[in-house]
Amino acid sequence: MDPLAGKYLRPEKWPGTACPGCGLRLLHREVLTAIDALGLGPSDLVWGTAIGCTGRQTYATWRGDTFAGTHGRVYALATGLRLALPREKRILLTVGDGDAFTIGLPHLLAAARRNVDLTVVVGDNLGYQSTGGQYGVTTPAGSRTDSSPYGTWEPGWSDGGLDVLGIVREAGASFLARHTVLQRDAVVESVKAALGTRGFSLVQVVYGCHVHYGAQALGDGTVGAIQGWIRARTVPLEPGPAPEVAPAGFRTGVFHDARGARPEFTERLRDHVAAVRARAGRTS
Amino acid sequence: MRRVFDTGNAAITEAAIVAGCRVFAGYPITPATEIAENMARRLPEVGGYYVQAEDECAALHLCNGASLGGLKAMTATSGPGFILFADPFGWAVSAEIPVVIVDAQRVGPVSGITGAPGQGELYLSRYLAHGGNYETIVLAPSSVQEAFRLTVRAFALAERFRTPVTLLADQMVTDGWEALAIPETSDERAAMGLEVVPRRAHPGPDFYPASDAIDVPPVVLGRGAGGACSDWTPTERGHDTEEVEAQHKHAHRLIHKIRRHRHLIDEHEAWGLEDDPEVILVSYGTPSRVVKSAVARARAEGLRVGGLRLVSLWPFPDHLFARRARYLSVELNWDGQLVREIQRAMSPGSSAHFFGRCGELPRVAELCEASRALLRGERLARRGWELEAY
Amino acid sequence: MSDRIEILLSGHGGQGVVRLGQVLGLAGSRQGLGATMLVSHGTETRGGYVRSQVVLASGEVDSPVVERADCFCAMTASAYERFHPLVRGTLLYDPAVVAPGADRAARRVAVPASATAAGELGKPLLANVIFLGAVSRILAATLDRTAVVAALRDRIPRYPEENARAFELGWELAG
């Protein structure tokens, strides 16, 4: 067993449910590398997941406490949990692109607006893959998938100048980054920064599904094919304001860093409660 | 003891505080908004947290999350929000997380009439989670003081059974005003028969006993002991599994931890059953108060009429319908919901009849009239409505 | 008092119909009577019709429904139209807006609350407290006047002198 996995994961859940060669396994390990680099142990971090490939791969693998929410709702569940946990406990959520940016987006934005101390790692496999390969909001424009046999026709969150991370930034997030799973060191650095953020942080990691997306959209279902394709489409984020029309491809880098700029959700709430109690002559 | 004249909404709020509720997440909706407003005022005073959620689905998930972290939590809504609870309700049922839900039923379907009472969610409260394979606990108050008592009870049952408990109220109870005695000491609570079950925490790793045991502490995360809790079919460690055997054990536990301990849940009130009545009026919530008056008046007239008020609605009290009688279900809806359960549960030779009304309460005179008609063996028909379809 | 007294109050939103019911219910409850009040209204908190059904009883109140009103306060024409079939005892109405027709009231008392509030008190909002004074006199055999005045002070703590004066005027109007 991989030594990092042996240190942090439940042996009976290793190597997990992802297909052989899947970038999700790389991502899982990159997250562990970041946790290890921060010197965190099982009792320092509660690990939540959603459903789909990312949820299945990562749920109940962590030796510490772990939970899974329903599709798209884990941000609300984690917000409630945040209320009950002491501030030094980290909450990490590993979720998919559908969970974060489609069905769960309103809840995710509410968590960003409140600046809830959560770290969301989005394993972006470019669509709905655990259901067999349907297009989602991060599927590149025109892609052929099982639910877009003639190519996708509706815009996603990365088409025509849109960028979903811009929405999350405007909602009030403290730290946002996007990388491909092949940018190992950058993913580790961003996850470390995210876990060190006192507030809402999110790292989107594009890995693409070679089994479905590779076969359906690229015509080649091998790991090598999707990795080559991802590498060829990776462009660095331009510093400064976002270009009016974003270049096609995966714009990677730290998207937004406003760590410490806004008070965190539970801090704000605890201050509010303390102020009410002080006014009422009680000590908290 | 603090004595006030206040609403059911106020009673539910104060009872939740007494029961140890420290988190309320909700979304404004008539006629349950006042509970949210009261909680927003009261919770900070006791060191608790009020969070206004982005929608009702998030509201109950927030409560679930807080409970998963060890804090008692409650939410409150009305029909249009209740339906949005379906997703987090199922999660709490399956993950066995204690939480209390208040539904102040109004007139439906959908938005219907906001400020008038209805009783359209009897079945929804039972089957809110999709997929079946569970039993649930639903209580129905009929007065302001009882709303207080049953809210405290709902919290106690939620803790003991590791499950969401629903308080199925109606607009008349939540918005209605009545005298309310609020206990302020543990002695006063005990004198009122109120049991407060403190949160016990099971840090993990094993927390899905393959048995129908109750009083098993719910999983509480945050201690790093390997607690695991999800919406998937769990192994006894809480890991996700697709094994049918594990699913059987899980479903068996969710159903029978409640059904086999239903004596701890069952509660009803009966009027005049000792005299072997021919006609029995059945109801829950505010209409049962009119039924009580009607039964008293009918009996004063010498009619062989009795009454049943259901306090615990689910698990459904089949055993109350063992006697042979003509049952008249009095409900605040036009489609007949309670009557279907009565028809299913009643003994052979019995008959089930329906008196529907919506948006307002029936009158004593009408119920007496309907009772007399049933005693004469007549069908019940009113203004073109065929009320005796059952 | 008789075992059960039913009081129906109705007007439009913003007229204080709920407040009146609260005061009567609170006073009754403090006297040791069983007391319930049901509130019905439409979507709007202002503008729609509002109805308070108050029931006072020597013991516990079972049915909280007013079926035969011992006292019906009609504060608007539409309230009168809607609920007059329920009145059996005393009808109190504002003659500025209600013209009683064929109802089954045993007694009709015109309470020119809006005119008195605007004219004598210079504050139209006090019409509801004038009604409260009038209703309290009708219910004097059931509700202790000092209990009602105390409940009024607790429930509507602002402008206690003005409210006391309005209550007094209402009491006199129902004489």
Side-chain angles (χ1 to χ4, degrees):
Chain A
M1 191 172 172
D2 180 298
L4 261 188
K7 186 171 174 188
Y8 290 111
L9 302 187
R10 305 178 189 212
E12 64 271 37
K13 294 280 279 184
W14 187 256
T17 53
C19 304
C22 180
L24 192 46
R25 295 189 180 196
L26 295 178
L27 173 57
H28 202 169
R29 206 176 179 289
E30 285 162 359
V31 171
L32 292 179
T33 306
I35 288 170
D36 196 47
L38 291 172
L40 300 175
S43 60
D44 298 323
L45 181 145
V46 177
W47 192 323
T49 70
I51 67 157
C53 293
T54 318
R56 281 286 190 189
Q57 169 66 26
T58 52
Y59 171 65
T61 54
W62 181 240
R63 279 184 193 272
D65 293 345
T66 174
F67 66 100
T70 55
H71 195 21
R73 320 297 170 190
V74 73
Y75 318 101
L77 187 68
T79 300
L81 180 62
R82 184 76 268 171
L83 285 174
L85 294 188
R87 76 171 271 173
E88 66 275 11
K89 299 274 179 198
R90 267 86 159 182
I91 300 179
L92 167 69
L93 304 177
T94 45
V95 303
D97 49 283
D99 196 88
F101 299 143
T102 315
I103 192 169
L105 188 60
H107 305 302
L108 186 121
L109 294 180
R113 170 177 59 80
R114 297 185 179 115
N115 202 25
V116 184
D117 189 7
L118 303 172
T119 294
V120 181
V121 172
V122 182
D124 183 357
N125 56 16
L126 306 178
Y128 299 98
Q129 309 304 346
S130 69
T131 47
Q134 296 81 33
Y135 70 92
V137 293
T138 60
T139 309
S143 297
R144 221 172 58 146
T145 71
D146 273 4
S147 64
S148 56
Y150 311 109
T152 57
W153 56 270
E154 60 170 317
W157 279 131
S158 353
D159 300 329
L162 300 180
D163 191 330
V164 68
L165 292 190
I167 299 170
V168 186
R169 175 186 58 206
E170 295 306 311
S174 286
F175 180 83
L176 298 169
R178 175 168 46 230
H179 306 288
T180 75
V181 77
L182 303 173
Q183 299 169 314
R184 184 181 175 279
D185 293 346
V187 172
V188 171
E189 283 312 306
S190 283
V191 173
K192 275 166 65 183
L195 284 171
T197 302
R198 178 89 183 129
F200 185 87
S201 57
L202 181 146
V203 182
Q204 178 186 2
V205 182
V206 179
Y207 68 88
C209 169
H210 65 283
V211 173
H212 297 301
Y213 188 77
Q216 295 159 357
L218 308 180
D220 186 340
T222 63
V223 175
I226 200 145
Q227 288 192 349
W229 176 81
I230 287 174
R231 268 196 199 94
R233 285 173 63 91
T234 302
V235 292
L237 272 164
E238 297 297 328
E244 208 154 285
V245 178
F250 307 116
R251 301 166 61 226
T252 58
V254 172
F255 187 88
H256 175 62
D257 188 351
R259 284 176 279 178
R262 298 173 70 224
E264 193 273 334
F265 166 67
T266 49
E267 268 170 19
R268 210 190 275 255
L269 182 52
R270 288 190 178 118
D271 284 352
H272 169 74
V273 169
V276 171
R277 285 165 75 90
R279 222 176 298 153
R282 292 180 181 85
T283 49
S284 50
Chain B
M1 197 77 77
R2 195 153 58 88
R3 292 178 191 281
V4 296
F5 186 73
D6 218 321
T7 60
N9 283 326
I12 290 165
T13 307
E14 294 304 322
I17 303 282
V18 164
C21 175
R22 289 300 177 267
V23 172
F24 181 96
Y27 189 94
I29 185 167
T30 305
T33 307
E34 197 186 293
I35 300 176
E37 292 172 346
N38 289 339
M39 289 305 256
R41 180 174 46 81
R42 290 287 283 123
L43 276 175
E45 292 177 357
V46 297
Y49 306 124
Y50 168 84
V51 181
Q52 207 153 289
E54 55 271 25
D55 60 30
E56 285 87 349
C57 176
L60 185 50
H61 272 301
L62 270 151
C63 290
N64 287 343
S67 188
L68 185 59
L71 297 177
K72 290 186 184 175
M74 177 174 89
T75 183
T77 192
S78 188
F82 193 55
I83 193 78
L84 298 184
F85 283 170
D87 180 84
F89 178 80
W91 188 89
V93 165
S94 183
E96 298 197 46
I97 296 301
V99 68
V100 171
I101 295 165
V102 180
D103 177 24
Q105 298 175 95
R106 64 189 211 194
V107 174
V110 290
S111 292
I113 299 174
T114 58
Q119 291 182 321
E121 278 121 65
L122 178 71
Y123 280 116
L124 198 61
S125 70
R126 170 62 185 83
Y127 296 107
L128 188 56
H130 60 87
N133 293 322
Y134 71 100
E135 182 58 84
T136 193
I137 302 173
V138 178
L139 308 174
S142 68
S143 72
V144 169
Q145 190 69 53
E146 193 177 56
F148 186 97
R149 180 176 68 81
L150 292 183
T151 301
V152 176
R153 192 149 185 260
F155 274 95
L157 292 173
E159 293 296 325
R160 295 194 65 187
F161 285 84
R162 299 208 321 184
T163 194
V165 175
T166 304
L167 195 70
L168 196 64
D170 55 68
Q171 181 266 348
M172 293 265 172
V173 165
T174 53
D175 272 0
W177 291 68
E178 230 172 332
L180 169 66
I182 301 169
E184 295 182 296
T185 65
S186 52
D187 283 352
E188 287 174 351
R189 284 202 297 275
M192 291 172 83
L194 299 174
E195 182 195 16
V196 173
V197 177
R199 169 60 59 91
R200 291 154 309 152
H202 190 86
D206 301 321
F207 57 87
Y208 288 106
S211 76
D212 57 11
I214 61 166
D215 293 319
V216 180
V219 63
V220 169
L221 300 187
R223 304 173 190 206
C229 170
S230 81
D231 46 328
W232 285 297
T233 293
T235 66
E236 285 174 49
R237 285 204 65 182
H239 293 181
D240 51 318
T241 180
E242 303 247 313
E243 293 296 325
V244 169
E245 265 312 299
Q247 195 282 331
H248 288 175
K249 282 183 186 168
H250 185 51
H252 193 270
R253 163 154 180 79
L254 295 183
I255 295 163
H256 291 297
K257 70 176 177 180
I258 292 175
R259 289 193 183 161
R260 291 190 181 153
H261 298 94
R262 61 171 306 158
H263 58 280
L264 299 171
I265 303 163
D266 284 338
E267 189 178 338
H268 74 279
E269 203 179 338
W271 308 301
L273 295 196
E274 63 283 1
D275 298 332
D276 200 21
E278 287 178 44
V279 169
I280 299 175
L281 276 58
V282 190
S283 60
Y284 73 92
T286 313
S288 63
R289 300 175 64 147
V290 186
V291 166
K292 186 178 181 186
S293 291
V295 169
R297 188 182 296 178
R299 285 167 60 79
E301 288 175 20
L303 302 178
R304 292 182 63 194
V305 172
L308 266 176
R309 175 170 82 88
L310 308 187
V311 179
S312 59
L313 294 172
W314 301 106
F316 194 77
D318 287 23
H319 55 279
L320 295 180
F321 302 93
R323 78 173 64 223
R324 196 170 150 169
R326 270 163 268 177
Y327 293 100
L328 177 60
S329 183
V330 180
E331 309 178 39
L332 296 183
N333 61 62
W334 296 121
D335 54 324
Q337 300 193 1
L338 180 58
V339 67
R340 292 174 190 246
E341 283 304 300
I342 296 170
Q343 190 184 40
R344 183 188 56 72
M346 69 190 184
S347 61
S350 296
S351 56
H353 310 266
F354 175 57
F355 186 103
R357 177 61 51 85
C358 203
E360 57 182 326
L361 291 171
R363 286 180 285 123
V364 170
E366 292 174 302
L367 295 182
C368 288
E369 178 58 39
S371 302
R372 279 190 289 267
L374 278 181
L375 285 167
R376 290 193 300 264
E378 293 170 10
R379 295 177 70 79
L380 301 179
R382 191 178 71 79
R383 286 189 297 184
W385 288 81
E386 182 54 67
L387 297 179
E388 209 180 13
Y390 291 90
Chain C
M1 68 173 286
S2 64
D3 280 352
R4 181 182 165 98
I5 300 285
E6 299 184 356
I7 306 151
L8 181 62
L9 312 159
S10 185
H12 58 65
Q15 271 187 317
V17 169
V18 176
R19 283 284 175 86
L20 286 197
Q22 288 170 1
V23 171
L24 294 173
L26 177 62
S29 166
R30 281 182 180 168
Q31 267 180 242
L33 302 176
T36 59
M37 181 186 69
L38 298 184
V39 181
S40 324
H41 47 73
T43 307
E44 312 87 1
T45 45
R46 297 181 71 83
Y49 93 92
V50 180
R51 170 181 49 159
S52 293
Q53 304 180 66
V54 180
V55 178
L56 303 171
S58 48
E60 237 173 71
V61 177
D62 291 329
S63 172
V65 181
V66 169
E67 298 186 24
R68 303 161 60 86
D70 297 288
C71 179
F72 171 33
C73 239
M75 296 162 75
T76 60
S78 63
Y80 176 80
E81 285 311 314
R82 193 185 280 258
F83 299 117
H84 76 75
L86 297 178
V87 65
R88 294 294 182 278
T90 306
L91 167 73
L92 295 115
Y93 64 99
D94 190 331
V97 290
V98 176
D103 57 49
R104 295 169 69 182
R107 184 183 165 206
R108 290 184 188 80
V109 179
V111 181
S114 49
T116 309
E120 291 199 33
L121 301 171
K123 215 170 187 180
L125 273 178
L126 287 169
N128 60 4
V129 183
I130 293 173
F131 258 112
L132 179 69
V135 175
S136 301
R137 185 151 191 180
I138 303 302
L139 298 173
T142 302
L143 283 180
D144 182 31
R145 174 177 168 161
T146 53
V148 180
V149 171
L152 169 65
R153 207 170 40 233
D154 292 347
R155 198 53 82 179
I156 313 177
R158 290 175 69 189
Y159 313 118
E161 291 82 15
E162 286 183 336
N163 281 333
R165 173 83 187 116
F167 184 92
E168 183 62 39
L169 282 172
W171 182 276
E172 284 162 16
L173 287 171

